[in-house]
Amino acid sequence: QVLRKGLQRGVALSAGSFLVYEAHKLISGFAEIHASFKVEEVIEQADYLYGSGETEKLYRLLFQHKNSDDAELLWRLARASRDLAQLSSTSAEEKRQLAYEALECAKKALEKNESNFAAHKWYGICLSDVGDFEGIKTKIGNAIVIKEHFQRAVELNPKDATTIHLIGIWCYSFAEMPWYQRKIAATLFATPPTSTFQEVLYENVSQTDPNFYSKNLLYLGKTYLKLNNKKMALLWLSKAKEYPAHTEEDKQVR
C-alpha cells in the first residue's frame, strides 16, 4: 500500500511537472510570436512616420528600441538619428552627439546582420558624417571603407537608387577635391582614390532613375556645371528647384 501510494504520488507529480513544462513551452511560444509581431508593428509605424516626415516622433519611437538585436530596427534608428541631426532646430552639440549615436546604431545593425544592405548603406553614410567632426584627414582616411560599404549595399540590393546616388556623391567629392586635400590623400594611401565628373554622370544617370531624389538632381546640375555644359546644368538645376520640398533636405536643396 505504501509503495502503491508512493507510485501514485510520483505519477501525479510527473503529470503536474509535464503540464507545467507544456504550459511553459506554450507561453514561451506566444511570447516569441508576440515579440515578432511587436517588431513588425514598430517597423510599420516607423516607416509611416518616415514617409510623413515626422522626424522627431520617429526618433522617439525608435529610441525606445536602441538595445534591440534586430538589424531592421537598428538601421532605422541610425537613419532617424541622422535625420534629426539635419534639422535646423538641432543645436551644434546635439548634431555631434546624434552623428556618433547614428554611427553606433548602424555598426550594431551590421554586427547583427552583415547581409542587410541598408545596414551597409547607413554605416557608410554615418561614418562620413562623423568625419565632418573629426577633420579632413579622418574623412579622407575613411573614404575607401565608406565606398566599400556602399558597393556591398549595391551588391545586396542592386535596385536601391539611393545607394547608387551615394556612390555618385563619393565620386563627385574626389573629382572636385582641391590640391591640398589631394596632398593629404597621397599621404594616407599608396594609390589615392580618384574619380571624374564623367563617372558621377554614369552613376547618377545610367544606373538609376535620376529624378528619384532632389539631391540627385542638384548634383547632376553641379556636375554639368563642372563640365561647362550650362544647358544641361540649367535643365537639372531647374528640376531640383521645382522638386516638391517634403523634407528638410529638400528645402536645403532648393
Side-chain angles (χ1 to χ4, degrees), residues 27-43 65 68 70 73:
I27 291 167
S28 298
F30 277 129
E32 287 173 9
I33 292 169
H34 177 69
S36 173
F37 275 117
K38 187 176 180 182
V39 168
E40 289 174 6
E41 286 172 12
V42 173
I43 289 173
H65 305 280
S68 171
D70 192 287
L73 284 176

Side-chain angles (χ1 to χ4, degrees), residues 29-252:
F30 277 129
E32 287 173 9
I33 292 169
H34 177 69
S36 173
F37 275 117
K38 187 176 180 182
V39 168
E40 289 174 6
E41 286 172 12
V42 173
I43 289 173
E44 187 177 348
Q45 290 173 33
D47 289 348
Y48 174 78
L49 290 171
Y50 180 76
S52 304
E54 297 281 0
T55 304
E56 294 178 13
K57 287 182 182 178
L58 174 61
Y59 176 78
R60 286 198 298 271
L61 169 69
L62 291 173
F63 189 75
Q64 300 173 66
H65 305 280
K66 64 178 180 177
N67 296 319
S68 171
D69 290 331
D70 192 287
E72 291 291 330
L73 284 176
L74 291 166
W75 75 253
R76 282 174 170 82
L77 177 54
R79 179 181 66 182
S81 301
R82 183 182 187 271
D83 286 350
L84 188 60
Q86 300 294 313
L87 296 180
S88 56
S89 58
T90 305
S91 70
E93 183 53 38
E94 286 173 326
K95 288 180 188 293
R96 180 185 179 89
Q97 181 182 334
L98 287 164
Y100 283 93
E101 182 184 299
L103 180 60
E104 281 303 307
C105 291
K107 182 180 178 182
K108 190 177 176 184
L110 265 183
E111 290 169 354
K112 297 302 177 184
N113 186 358
E114 196 278 334
S115 297
N116 188 303
F117 88 93
H120 282 280
K121 174 170 73 175
W122 286 99
Y123 182 78
I125 292 170
C126 295
L127 188 60
S128 177
D129 287 346
V130 166
D132 293 337
F133 297 100
E134 297 189 355
I136 191 66
K137 190 171 182 179
T138 299
K139 198 167 183 71
I140 294 173
N142 288 335
I144 297 297
V145 177
I146 290 166
K147 190 177 184 183
E148 285 172 354
H149 282 283
F150 289 159
Q151 288 173 329
R152 178 63 176 146
V154 171
E155 287 172 12
L156 292 167
N157 185 1
K159 295 182 179 180
D160 185 58
T162 310
T163 312
I164 296 168
H165 160 77
L166 290 166
I167 294 175
I169 296 293
W170 188 98
C171 294
Y172 186 95
S173 299
F174 279 94
E176 73 156 1
M177 184 177 282
W179 67 269
Y180 68 91
Q181 290 185 8
R182 291 186 188 280
K183 198 167 183 179
I184 294 171
T187 65
L188 295 172
F189 303 102
T191 307
T194 58
S195 188
T196 64
F197 292 112
Q198 285 80 3
E199 192 175 355
V200 178
L201 294 179
Y202 171 76
E203 293 292 346
N204 283 9
V205 178
S206 305
Q207 299 294 90
T208 186
D209 174 14
N211 299 293
F212 85 102
Y213 179 34
S214 61
K215 203 168 185 178
N216 201 55
L217 298 170
L218 173 65
Y219 271 87
L220 282 169
K222 290 171 71 173
T223 301
Y224 277 112
L225 273 179
K226 293 287 185 181
L227 293 170
N228 205 31
N229 187 335
K230 293 182 180 179
K231 182 179 179 181
M232 290 300 291
L234 180 62
L235 169 69
W236 292 107
L237 292 173
S238 296
K239 286 187 176 187
K241 186 172 71 73
E242 293 160 8
Y243 192 92
H246 295 302
T247 67
E248 186 80 12
E249 191 172 52
D250 292 335
K251 292 172 186 175
Q252 291 170 5

